[in-house]
Amino acid sequence: MMTHSDLPLTRDLVLVGGGHSHALVLRMWGMAPLAGVRLTVINPGPTAPYSGMLPGFVAGHYPREALDIDLVQLARFAGARLVLGSATAINPQTKQIHLPGRPAIAYDVASVDIGITSDMPALAGFGEHARPAKPLGAFATAWEAFRDGTGPARIACIGGGVAGVELILAMAHALRQQNRLAQATLIDAGAALSALGPRSIARLQKALRAQQVTVLENAPLAEVTATGLRLQDGREIASDFTVGAAGARPYDWLRDTGLTHHEGALVVTDRLQTSDPDIFASGDCAHMAFAPRPKAGVFAVRQAPVLFHNLRAALSGGRMRRYRPQADYLKLISMGSKTALADRGSRSYAGPLLWHLKDRIDRRFMAKFAALPVMAPPALPQPHAKGLADALGDKPLCGGCGSKVGRGSLRHGIGAHAGAARDDVTPLPGDDAAQLRTGEVTQVLSTDHLRAFTNDPFTMTRISAQHALNDIWAMGAQPQAATLTLILPRQSPALLQRQLAEIMAAADQEMAAAGVAIVGGHTSIGAELTVGFTLTGLCDRAPITLSGARPGDHLILTKPIGSGTILAAEMSGQARGRWVAGALETMCQSQRKAAQILAEEAHAMTDVTGFGLLGHLQGLCAASGLGAQIRFEAVPKLRGAAELAIAGVRSSLFAENAALLPQIQATGARALLFDPQTSGGLLACVAPEQSEMLLTRLRAQGYRAAEIGVMRGPGDGIILRDPPSPPPR
């Protein structure tokens, strides 16, 4: 039976922004995808904060994790690629979306849901000394850092609308709970809370007095300073943390799209289409000219089903639906403590029960994104051959080095065929690259390819390039030339051209930075994207091999471990988006400068990839005829990797790696020692007296480098030194 994944891709749908409408669209798409569509979502970060829970987070009622919609997990569920970056332009003529640091992303149909910003560039000093309330993510991060500080705190909020009142009440409550609130001020150029009825205004004014918030109305500002704010009448307000919640507006670049806009917001029809029918918009960045409404998250949520239907219709030629917004809606406004106000029309109520109602509504909304199904292995057909279940394993095949053949299989399968056929070629067993001698010149040669573990071909190519380059760096060589080998999934010629353009832009960028010329390559069509590089390099000194380590050498590792565990968890929806984004960023990090620093002093060196840290250390020990002692607590680990390992997450290559050293118990976080790495760090043996100097230089270049152990004498094997057990209580 043919599935969606067996069919070629013919249309690109790009969602710009991870707002509430798009988050719901992604969830609905995962349950009912449209065959032939390649779905992309572009967002500045791996999560999207939910505005409804922001005041509760600010007040301390919710942890940060409760505030964020995890777009990495959501994109995996929807079968979408997530591009981390901020869109800066849309060109309807070329059908391209531009963002910094990578080639433009082409679309057939696009949708914009990027929210609005509370930045106030016209107010002197705002950019340097204040925080806009929107975008929410940056504000939440800044507030969390300030809230976790110590000492008396003075706070101020610019803007006396509902959003500003909610924020100042929440901030004041949080600081009062810590006995830190010294001063709280709400400032508005006009009348505060003018959009509400008199009963609601009176209740919120009472709450402001209870939280010791001073309200300054009809008080236009002149400047934000490092110590507070200065009003136009000369008064100065002290503030250690100033937030702007007034005059929220669409992002400036939307005006430059050529699309019809209203005060910067994209004008949409009742089908949520802009003046270009191939571009849709929703949420706060859209203006419903057919039925104008105030900016509120409730409209974005209710637009989502119509947007989902109409995007599918635009891509498949179906009939579209109309969106009809309600005339009014219930406003539930947090009041700092676990009390809320309900306002609708002329009616107004307040009390703890309303906060619990709001809490229940918000949690129910967020539960939609927390209840995504965990991917399970496909059922085996009946009947099937003996051994099929064992060969398939109990988990999906991980990407990256998790799809590499294990060391045991390699030894038995090709070990007898690894000898050189020429005297001028030296394929030293286990080394990272073969040596080719031409007169007095030594050239190294290596090849590597990776099966895609991210749907973003640009990021995938960057990681594949660094992964391949590491073999050359580990030999102390300077990369010289590369050929590129690609297996591309079935797709229309137009989509194939787009994907190739992104791949080649990434390949050119990474190889040019390494001083490498791409001199050729090969492409073919297959089931999934695979990116590989074959590289040559030149040595201006004797190559660094595995065999030069000396007893007493310190072991330096230049990157944290755990990428295999995080990739395995991401495939099954168990990894947090921030962990995945951090792992991808680390895998993109070049080891060029690290290799240049270490090559001056390293006695032996390798890169840590598919066999895991201890597997590659075992190869180094075998070649040098030595043992080693590792301090597990000193080994740097990717954020989230230890938590996932303790929870039992394992890459598909883990078991074969762990079998290489059965004397070391690979349980809990220690399983990371056998975790297959993609574009991992360099592992170098250096003289003890050089270790600290090298670490200082590596860290100055941005590497999370650490001294993780020491080489020991022959026959000692590999010893794992555990941290001391905590004393009994």
Side-chain angles (χ1 to χ4, degrees), residues 13-44:
L13 168 61
V14 180
L15 306 181
V16 183
H20 301 353
S21 293
H22 282 177
L24 289 167
V25 165
L26 285 169
R27 188 178 187 276
M28 289 183 278
W29 195 278
M31 294 185 287
L34 182 63
V37 174
R38 178 166 59 197
L39 176 60
T40 298
V41 57
I42 301 170
N43 196 67

Side-chain angles (χ1 to χ4, degrees), residues 123-169:
L123 178 59
F126 185 91
E128 295 81 12
H129 306 301
R131 296 282 183 177
K134 293 185 177 182
L136 302 181
F139 167 71
T141 299
W143 169 251
E144 188 172 35
F146 181 79
R147 187 187 65 193
D148 293 343
T150 58
R154 301 165 301 180
I155 55 175
C157 180
I158 304 169
V162 170
V165 169
E166 269 194 307
L167 283 180
I168 196 68
L169 286 171

